[in-house]
Amino acid sequence: MRKWVGVVAVFAMVAMLGFAVAQARVPDMTWTGWISDSTCSAEKGMTADHKGCALSCVKNRGASYVFVNSADKKVIKISNQDAVKDGDVGVELKVTGSIAEDGSLKISKIEATK
C-alpha cells in the first residue's frame, strides 16, 4: 500500500511539473484593438458608437465578448469573459494575453491606448 502511495505522489508531482512547463512556454503578447460582441464582431464593433449595443447584446441576448485586432480585423474569442469591464467596450485598447490551443484569447491585462 505504501508503495502505491509513493507511486501516485511521484506521478502527481511529474504531472504538475509538466503542466507548469507547458504554461510557461506560452508567452504573453500585446495587440491593439477593440472589444466587441460576438454578434456584431468587426462589422460594427470597432467604433465608440457601438458600445451600448455591444453591452446590451452581451448582458441581455447571450452574446459574448470578442477581441477585434485593429491591424487585420481578425476576431478572436475571449476565454476569460470576466476580464472585460464595461469601460473596456467602445474604445481602442491594448490587450495583453496569450492564445490558447483552441484559438481563444486569455486576457491578462487591458489598458487604454495612448
Side-chain angles (χ1 to χ4, degrees), residues 17-41:
L17 180 61
F19 180 75
V21 169
Q23 292 297 317
R25 290 183 185 166
V26 180
D28 276 357
M29 296 176 60
T30 301
W31 301 271
T32 300
W34 298 74
I35 304 290
S36 184
D37 62 285
S38 56
T39 305
C40 293
S41 299

PDB file of all heavy atoms in Angstrom, residues 17-41:
ATOM      1  N   LEU A  17       4.515  19.361 -12.661  1.00  0.00           N
ATOM      2  CA  LEU A  17       5.691  19.963 -13.272  1.00  0.00           C
ATOM      3  C   LEU A  17       5.496  20.111 -14.781  1.00  0.00           C
ATOM      4  O   LEU A  17       5.818  21.146 -15.364  1.00  0.00           O
ATOM      5  CB  LEU A  17       6.938  19.127 -12.976  1.00  0.00           C
ATOM      6  CG  LEU A  17       8.255  19.646 -13.558  1.00  0.00           C
ATOM      7  CD1 LEU A  17       8.572  21.017 -12.994  1.00  0.00           C
ATOM      8  CD2 LEU A  17       9.378  18.677 -13.268  1.00  0.00           C
ATOM      9  N   GLY A  18       4.966  19.088 -15.413  1.00  0.00           N
ATOM     10  CA  GLY A  18       4.687  19.154 -16.844  1.00  0.00           C
ATOM     11  C   GLY A  18       3.696  20.251 -17.186  1.00  0.00           C
ATOM     12  O   GLY A  18       3.864  20.977 -18.164  1.00  0.00           O
ATOM     13  N   PHE A  19       2.660  20.398 -16.378  1.00  0.00           N
ATOM     14  CA  PHE A  19       1.671  21.454 -16.590  1.00  0.00           C
ATOM     15  C   PHE A  19       2.315  22.826 -16.444  1.00  0.00           C
ATOM     16  O   PHE A  19       2.073  23.724 -17.249  1.00  0.00           O
ATOM     17  CB  PHE A  19       0.504  21.305 -15.606  1.00  0.00           C
ATOM     18  CG  PHE A  19      -0.541  22.353 -15.772  1.00  0.00           C
ATOM     19  CD1 PHE A  19      -1.419  22.317 -16.829  1.00  0.00           C
ATOM     20  CD2 PHE A  19      -0.648  23.388 -14.854  1.00  0.00           C
ATOM     21  CE1 PHE A  19      -2.380  23.288 -16.994  1.00  0.00           C
ATOM     22  CE2 PHE A  19      -1.603  24.366 -15.000  1.00  0.00           C
ATOM     23  CZ  PHE A  19      -2.476  24.314 -16.076  1.00  0.00           C
ATOM     24  N   ALA A  20       3.155  23.005 -15.434  1.00  0.00           N
ATOM     25  CA  ALA A  20       3.822  24.290 -15.208  1.00  0.00           C
ATOM     26  C   ALA A  20       4.742  24.641 -16.374  1.00  0.00           C
ATOM     27  O   ALA A  20       4.789  25.787 -16.822  1.00  0.00           O
ATOM     28  CB  ALA A  20       4.597  24.257 -13.900  1.00  0.00           C
ATOM     29  N   VAL A  21       5.470  23.662 -16.883  1.00  0.00           N
ATOM     30  CA  VAL A  21       6.357  23.896 -18.019  1.00  0.00           C
ATOM     31  C   VAL A  21       5.548  24.259 -19.256  1.00  0.00           C
ATOM     32  O   VAL A  21       5.904  25.174 -19.999  1.00  0.00           O
ATOM     33  CB  VAL A  21       7.254  22.662 -18.280  1.00  0.00           C
ATOM     34  CG1 VAL A  21       7.975  22.778 -19.616  1.00  0.00           C
ATOM     35  CG2 VAL A  21       8.239  22.490 -17.138  1.00  0.00           C
ATOM     36  N   ALA A  22       4.443  23.582 -19.493  1.00  0.00           N
ATOM     37  CA  ALA A  22       3.595  23.878 -20.651  1.00  0.00           C
ATOM     38  C   ALA A  22       3.038  25.292 -20.568  1.00  0.00           C
ATOM     39  O   ALA A  22       2.977  26.002 -21.574  1.00  0.00           O
ATOM     40  CB  ALA A  22       2.461  22.867 -20.745  1.00  0.00           C
ATOM     41  N   GLN A  23       2.626  25.720 -19.395  1.00  0.00           N
ATOM     42  CA  GLN A  23       2.100  27.065 -19.231  1.00  0.00           C
ATOM     43  C   GLN A  23       3.183  28.115 -19.422  1.00  0.00           C
ATOM     44  O   GLN A  23       2.931  29.190 -19.935  1.00  0.00           O
ATOM     45  CB  GLN A  23       1.461  27.218 -17.836  1.00  0.00           C
ATOM     46  CG  GLN A  23       0.205  26.418 -17.648  1.00  0.00           C
ATOM     47  CD  GLN A  23      -0.895  26.849 -18.595  1.00  0.00           C
ATOM     48  OE1 GLN A  23      -1.118  28.028 -18.799  1.00  0.00           O
ATOM     49  NE2 GLN A  23      -1.566  25.893 -19.198  1.00  0.00           N
ATOM     50  N   ALA A  24       4.380  27.816 -19.024  1.00  0.00           N
ATOM     51  CA  ALA A  24       5.487  28.767 -19.126  1.00  0.00           C
ATOM     52  C   ALA A  24       5.895  28.996 -20.576  1.00  0.00           C
ATOM     53  O   ALA A  24       6.473  30.024 -20.907  1.00  0.00           O
ATOM     54  CB  ALA A  24       6.671  28.276 -18.315  1.00  0.00           C
ATOM     55  N   ARG A  25       5.606  28.070 -21.467  1.00  0.00           N
ATOM     56  CA  ARG A  25       6.006  28.178 -22.869  1.00  0.00           C
ATOM     57  C   ARG A  25       5.110  29.106 -23.675  1.00  0.00           C
ATOM     58  O   ARG A  25       5.460  29.475 -24.782  1.00  0.00           O
ATOM     59  CB  ARG A  25       6.002  26.806 -23.519  1.00  0.00           C
ATOM     60  CG  ARG A  25       7.100  25.923 -23.019  1.00  0.00           C
ATOM     61  CD  ARG A  25       7.099  24.608 -23.747  1.00  0.00           C
ATOM     62  NE  ARG A  25       8.083  23.725 -23.166  1.00  0.00           N
ATOM     63  CZ  ARG A  25       8.141  22.448 -23.394  1.00  0.00           C
ATOM     64  NH1 ARG A  25       7.268  21.884 -24.208  1.00  0.00           N
ATOM     65  NH2 ARG A  25       9.058  21.707 -22.833  1.00  0.00           N
ATOM     66  N   VAL A  26       3.947  29.479 -23.167  1.00  0.00           N
ATOM     67  CA  VAL A  26       3.032  30.340 -23.893  1.00  0.00           C
ATOM     68  C   VAL A  26       3.276  31.775 -23.446  1.00  0.00           C
ATOM     69  O   VAL A  26       2.819  32.191 -22.391  1.00  0.00           O
ATOM     70  CB  VAL A  26       1.557  29.945 -23.638  1.00  0.00           C
ATOM     71  CG1 VAL A  26       0.627  30.842 -24.406  1.00  0.00           C
ATOM     72  CG2 VAL A  26       1.322  28.490 -23.981  1.00  0.00           C
ATOM     73  N   PRO A  27       4.019  32.548 -24.234  1.00  0.00           N
ATOM     74  CA  PRO A  27       4.336  33.912 -23.821  1.00  0.00           C
ATOM     75  C   PRO A  27       3.145  34.844 -24.046  1.00  0.00           C
ATOM     76  O   PRO A  27       2.346  34.650 -24.956  1.00  0.00           O
ATOM     77  CB  PRO A  27       5.493  34.297 -24.735  1.00  0.00           C
ATOM     78  CG  PRO A  27       5.265  33.492 -25.972  1.00  0.00           C
ATOM     79  CD  PRO A  27       4.639  32.202 -25.499  1.00  0.00           C
ATOM     80  N   ASP A  28       3.037  35.857 -23.193  1.00  0.00           N
ATOM     81  CA  ASP A  28       2.021  36.882 -23.400  1.00  0.00           C
ATOM     82  C   ASP A  28       2.439  37.771 -24.553  1.00  0.00           C
ATOM     83  O   ASP A  28       3.622  38.046 -24.745  1.00  0.00           O
ATOM     84  CB  ASP A  28       1.852  37.732 -22.136  1.00  0.00           C
ATOM     85  CG  ASP A  28       0.923  37.099 -21.121  1.00  0.00           C
ATOM     86  OD1 ASP A  28       0.365  36.022 -21.407  1.00  0.00           O
ATOM     87  OD2 ASP A  28       0.733  37.685 -20.049  1.00  0.00           O
ATOM     88  N   MET A  29       1.448  38.204 -25.315  1.00  0.00           N
ATOM     89  CA  MET A  29       1.669  39.130 -26.419  1.00  0.00           C
ATOM     90  C   MET A  29       0.719  40.298 -26.232  1.00  0.00           C
ATOM     91  O   MET A  29      -0.247  40.201 -25.489  1.00  0.00           O
ATOM     92  CB  MET A  29       1.403  38.432 -27.758  1.00  0.00           C
ATOM     93  CG  MET A  29       2.350  37.284 -28.042  1.00  0.00           C
ATOM     94  SD  MET A  29       1.967  36.399 -29.568  1.00  0.00           S
ATOM     95  CE  MET A  29       2.123  37.667 -30.782  1.00  0.00           C
ATOM     96  N   THR A  30       0.958  41.400 -26.919  1.00  0.00           N
ATOM     97  CA  THR A  30       0.103  42.570 -26.825  1.00  0.00           C
ATOM     98  C   THR A  30      -0.398  42.947 -28.212  1.00  0.00           C
ATOM     99  O   THR A  30       0.369  42.964 -29.174  1.00  0.00           O
ATOM    100  CB  THR A  30       0.863  43.757 -26.196  1.00  0.00           C
ATOM    101  OG1 THR A  30       1.307  43.378 -24.893  1.00  0.00           O
ATOM    102  CG2 THR A  30      -0.037  44.980 -26.073  1.00  0.00           C
ATOM    103  N   TRP A  31      -1.697  43.223 -28.293  1.00  0.00           N
ATOM    104  CA  TRP A  31      -2.350  43.645 -29.527  1.00  0.00           C
ATOM    105  C   TRP A  31      -3.117  44.925 -29.267  1.00  0.00           C
ATOM    106  O   TRP A  31      -3.558  45.186 -28.160  1.00  0.00           O
ATOM    107  CB  TRP A  31      -3.351  42.601 -30.017  1.00  0.00           C
ATOM    108  CG  TRP A  31      -2.787  41.262 -30.300  1.00  0.00           C
ATOM    109  CD1 TRP A  31      -2.268  40.809 -31.474  1.00  0.00           C
ATOM    110  CD2 TRP A  31      -2.695  40.161 -29.392  1.00  0.00           C
ATOM    111  NE1 TRP A  31      -1.855  39.508 -31.341  1.00  0.00           N
ATOM    112  CE2 TRP A  31      -2.117  39.083 -30.071  1.00  0.00           C
ATOM    113  CE3 TRP A  31      -3.056  39.978 -28.047  1.00  0.00           C
ATOM    114  CZ2 TRP A  31      -1.879  37.852 -29.478  1.00  0.00           C
ATOM    115  CZ3 TRP A  31      -2.816  38.755 -27.448  1.00  0.00           C
ATOM    116  CH2 TRP A  31      -2.234  37.715 -28.164  1.00  0.00           C
ATOM    117  N   THR A  32      -3.340  45.698 -30.319  1.00  0.00           N
ATOM    118  CA  THR A  32      -4.191  46.882 -30.250  1.00  0.00           C
ATOM    119  C   THR A  32      -5.481  46.548 -30.980  1.00  0.00           C
ATOM    120  O   THR A  32      -5.456  45.985 -32.079  1.00  0.00           O
ATOM    121  CB  THR A  32      -3.507  48.095 -30.909  1.00  0.00           C
ATOM    122  OG1 THR A  32      -2.287  48.342 -30.218  1.00  0.00           O
ATOM    123  CG2 THR A  32      -4.386  49.328 -30.839  1.00  0.00           C
ATOM    124  N   GLY A  33      -6.612  46.882 -30.354  1.00  0.00           N
ATOM    125  CA  GLY A  33      -7.886  46.591 -30.991  1.00  0.00           C
ATOM    126  C   GLY A  33      -9.061  46.999 -30.132  1.00  0.00           C
ATOM    127  O   GLY A  33      -8.938  47.832 -29.223  1.00  0.00           O
ATOM    128  N   TRP A  34     -10.200  46.402 -30.412  1.00  0.00           N
ATOM    129  CA  TRP A  34     -11.465  46.751 -29.785  1.00  0.00           C
ATOM    130  C   TRP A  34     -12.112  45.521 -29.163  1.00  0.00           C
ATOM    131  O   TRP A  34     -12.005  44.420 -29.707  1.00  0.00           O
ATOM    132  CB  TRP A  34     -12.426  47.315 -30.830  1.00  0.00           C
ATOM    133  CG  TRP A  34     -11.955  48.569 -31.487  1.00  0.00           C
ATOM    134  CD1 TRP A  34     -10.973  48.683 -32.428  1.00  0.00           C
ATOM    135  CD2 TRP A  34     -12.426  49.884 -31.240  1.00  0.00           C
ATOM    136  NE1 TRP A  34     -10.816  49.989 -32.788  1.00  0.00           N
ATOM    137  CE2 TRP A  34     -11.699  50.748 -32.084  1.00  0.00           C
ATOM    138  CE3 TRP A  34     -13.409  50.410 -30.410  1.00  0.00           C
ATOM    139  CZ2 TRP A  34     -11.918  52.118 -32.111  1.00  0.00           C
ATOM    140  CZ3 TRP A  34     -13.628  51.780 -30.446  1.00  0.00           C
ATOM    141  CH2 TRP A  34     -12.885  52.620 -31.281  1.00  0.00           C
ATOM    142  N   ILE A  35     -12.821  45.709 -28.066  1.00  0.00           N
ATOM    143  CA  ILE A  35     -13.672  44.672 -27.506  1.00  0.00           C
ATOM    144  C   ILE A  35     -15.050  44.868 -28.121  1.00  0.00           C
ATOM    145  O   ILE A  35     -15.616  45.951 -28.061  1.00  0.00           O
ATOM    146  CB  ILE A  35     -13.779  44.778 -25.965  1.00  0.00           C
ATOM    147  CG1 ILE A  35     -12.399  44.744 -25.311  1.00  0.00           C
ATOM    148  CG2 ILE A  35     -14.699  43.696 -25.424  1.00  0.00           C
ATOM    149  CD1 ILE A  35     -11.674  43.425 -25.364  1.00  0.00           C
ATOM    150  N   SER A  36     -15.565  43.835 -28.724  1.00  0.00           N
ATOM    151  CA  SER A  36     -16.889  43.880 -29.344  1.00  0.00           C
ATOM    152  C   SER A  36     -17.706  42.702 -28.821  1.00  0.00           C
ATOM    153  O   SER A  36     -17.272  42.005 -27.904  1.00  0.00           O
ATOM    154  CB  SER A  36     -16.752  43.814 -30.868  1.00  0.00           C
ATOM    155  OG  SER A  36     -18.013  43.943 -31.505  1.00  0.00           O
ATOM    156  N   ASP A  37     -18.862  42.490 -29.416  1.00  0.00           N
ATOM    157  CA  ASP A  37     -19.687  41.337 -29.053  1.00  0.00           C
ATOM    158  C   ASP A  37     -19.664  40.332 -30.195  1.00  0.00           C
ATOM    159  O   ASP A  37     -19.393  40.678 -31.339  1.00  0.00           O
ATOM    160  CB  ASP A  37     -21.122  41.776 -28.747  1.00  0.00           C
ATOM    161  CG  ASP A  37     -21.800  42.411 -29.941  1.00  0.00           C
ATOM    162  OD1 ASP A  37     -21.477  43.573 -30.254  1.00  0.00           O
ATOM    163  OD2 ASP A  37     -22.633  41.753 -30.577  1.00  0.00           O
ATOM    164  N   SER A  38     -19.943  39.076 -29.877  1.00  0.00           N
ATOM    165  CA  SER A  38     -19.849  38.005 -30.870  1.00  0.00           C
ATOM    166  C   SER A  38     -20.895  38.118 -31.969  1.00  0.00           C
ATOM    167  O   SER A  38     -20.730  37.530 -33.031  1.00  0.00           O
ATOM    168  CB  SER A  38     -19.947  36.642 -30.185  1.00  0.00           C
ATOM    169  OG  SER A  38     -21.144  36.545 -29.431  1.00  0.00           O
ATOM    170  N   THR A  39     -21.936  38.886 -31.747  1.00  0.00           N
ATOM    171  CA  THR A  39     -22.962  39.058 -32.768  1.00  0.00           C
ATOM    172  C   THR A  39     -22.492  40.001 -33.872  1.00  0.00           C
ATOM    173  O   THR A  39     -22.640  39.710 -35.051  1.00  0.00           O
ATOM    174  CB  THR A  39     -24.267  39.599 -32.150  1.00  0.00           C
ATOM    175  OG1 THR A  39     -24.666  38.725 -31.105  1.00  0.00           O
ATOM    176  CG2 THR A  39     -25.372  39.696 -33.180  1.00  0.00           C
ATOM    177  N   CYS A  40     -21.926  41.124 -33.494  1.00  0.00           N
ATOM    178  CA  CYS A  40     -21.515  42.132 -34.479  1.00  0.00           C
ATOM    179  C   CYS A  40     -20.051  42.014 -34.882  1.00  0.00           C
ATOM    180  O   CYS A  40     -19.688  42.395 -35.981  1.00  0.00           O
ATOM    181  CB  CYS A  40     -21.777  43.533 -33.933  1.00  0.00           C
ATOM    182  SG  CYS A  40     -23.535  43.877 -33.742  1.00  0.00           S
ATOM    183  N   SER A  41     -19.204  41.530 -34.004  1.00  0.00           N
ATOM    184  CA  SER A  41     -17.769  41.338 -34.263  1.00  0.00           C
ATOM    185  C   SER A  41     -17.128  42.579 -34.864  1.00  0.00           C
ATOM    186  O   SER A  41     -17.291  43.668 -34.361  1.00  0.00           O
ATOM    187  CB  SER A  41     -17.559  40.120 -35.155  1.00  0.00           C
ATOM    188  OG  SER A  41     -18.041  38.969 -34.528  1.00  0.00           O
TER     189      SER A  41
END
